[in-house]
Amino acid sequence: MSHVLEHDLPLWAACRRTDPVTSRIAAGKAGRLRADHKRKIVEALKISPAGSSLIAERVGLVAHQVGKRLGELERAGVIETTGRRVMSASNSLEREWRVRG
């Protein structure tokens, strides 16, 4: 699982060779930030299954940030949906997620 939580994209995929150094630095930071978000989400789901709103609340992110990482973690086989729908913070239904066992 750890390889999934590390930098998903090589630096060259996040910026162009012709980009300034500052863009390359930002691209490197983005990869670390993405990996950090994934780790937090997995840890939150180890507590109990949850929808993206509750996950976001547990880890201190906004639901949109969590939503972007959920798809990546699902494609990597780390998490899965429970098949249930739960109420979101905005009173709409959202999918419930769990760590894949």
Side-chain angles (χ1 to χ4, degrees), residues 26-97:
K29 288 180 182 179
R32 287 189 296 278
L33 189 60
R34 184 173 47 251
D36 183 54
H37 288 181
K38 287 180 181 182
R39 275 191 292 280
K40 288 178 178 181
I41 290 167
V42 171
E43 289 302 314
L45 289 175
K46 286 180 180 178
I47 295 168
S48 65
S52 61
S53 294
L54 181 54
I55 296 167
E57 183 180 315
R58 287 178 182 171
V59 300
L61 299 171
V62 296
H64 175 74
Q65 291 172 304
V66 170
K68 291 175 76 172
R69 304 290 84 89
L70 290 174
E72 294 168 4
L73 288 165
E74 180 184 35
R75 286 187 295 281
V78 177
I79 65 171
E80 64 188 1
T81 60
T82 65
R84 293 184 41 195
R85 299 270 181 184
V86 294
M87 195 62 65
S88 74
S90 62
N91 290 325
S92 60
L93 292 176
E94 62 186 13
R95 295 184 290 174
E96 183 180 61
W97 297 88

Side-chain angles (χ1 to χ4, degrees), residues 21-35:
V21 172
T22 53
S23 293
R24 292 173 171 272
I25 292 169
K29 288 180 182 179
R32 287 189 296 278
L33 189 60
R34 184 173 47 251

